[in-house]
Amino acid sequence: GLANLFVEKGLLTYVQGQKYARQNYDADPTKVKTRLPLQVVTNRGTANGCEVAAAALLDSKRAAIAGERTYGSASVHRTIGLDDGSAVILAVAKFYSPAGKSIPDNGVTPEKLIAEPDSQVELDEDGNPVPSTTPEGQSRIPPKQDKFLLNIITPEKK
């Protein structure tokens, strides 16, 4: 997965449930794309596979993680069809960090906790919300004015 693009060796994650045998996912060194330093930003919307990757990068000390605790939703689901055509979706197993923490129960807590400011929606002259990014995908807030970004990349004063 995503973490294996950066992590060369070791356990990335494992899945286990009450009636679901443990399944390990180990790094494959042939899949690594870069060994450059890495900074990952998480927030309360970081979920599922992104949480698994963040936990692997954090536990392997491959990346510095900053931001907010993640959502906590990385699990394996099974759909059970009912006679009336409806269905029930059950979580049957949880993803765990390499250190053994249940991601659905704990989320991933960054080393550097930084609260993401509540977004303040900018309105156009008609009162409609202006997208936070340009059509090219760039943030409308210049990097030198983005307080959240500056807090993440600025070293802590000691």
Side-chain angles (χ1 to χ4, degrees), residues 13-74:
T13 189
Y14 65 93
V15 180
Q16 188 171 3
Q18 187 176 9
K19 294 182 178 181
Y20 193 100
R22 178 173 168 152
Q23 184 175 357
N24 288 348
Y25 294 89
D26 295 308
D28 175 353
T30 65
K31 294 184 179 178
V32 172
K33 297 298 181 194
T34 183
R35 291 169 181 81
L36 292 171
L38 191 60
Q39 171 79 55
V40 174
V41 179
T42 61
N43 67 17
R44 58 190 167 259
T46 305
N48 298 317
C50 295
E51 289 178 289
V52 172
L57 294 167
L58 178 66
D59 284 1
S60 68
K61 301 195 183 330
R62 175 59 183 89
I65 312 289
E68 298 177 314
R69 179 187 173 276
T70 65
Y71 185 76
S73 65

Side-chain angles (χ1 to χ4, degrees), residues 95-111:
F95 278 89
Y96 290 81
S97 73
K101 290 184 180 177
S102 162
I103 295 173
D105 295 334
N106 301 297
V108 178
T109 302
E111 302 155 305

Side-chain angles (χ1 to χ4, degrees), residues 109-122:
T109 302
E111 302 155 305
K112 185 174 182 182
L113 287 168
I114 303 168
E116 189 172 350
D118 292 333
S119 64
Q120 297 191 7
V121 178
E122 185 181 340

Side-chain angles (χ1 to χ4, degrees), residues 1-18:
L2 176 62
N4 204 172
L5 298 176
F6 308 101
V7 179
E8 289 185 76
K9 61 182 179 178
L11 180 66
L12 297 174
T13 189
Y14 65 93
V15 180
Q16 188 171 3
Q18 187 176 9

Side-chain angles (χ1 to χ4, degrees), residues 77-92:
H77 296 98
R78 183 156 295 143
T79 304
I80 300 171
L82 301 176
D83 292 339
D84 66 357
S86 61
V88 175
I89 300 173
L90 296 175
V92 296

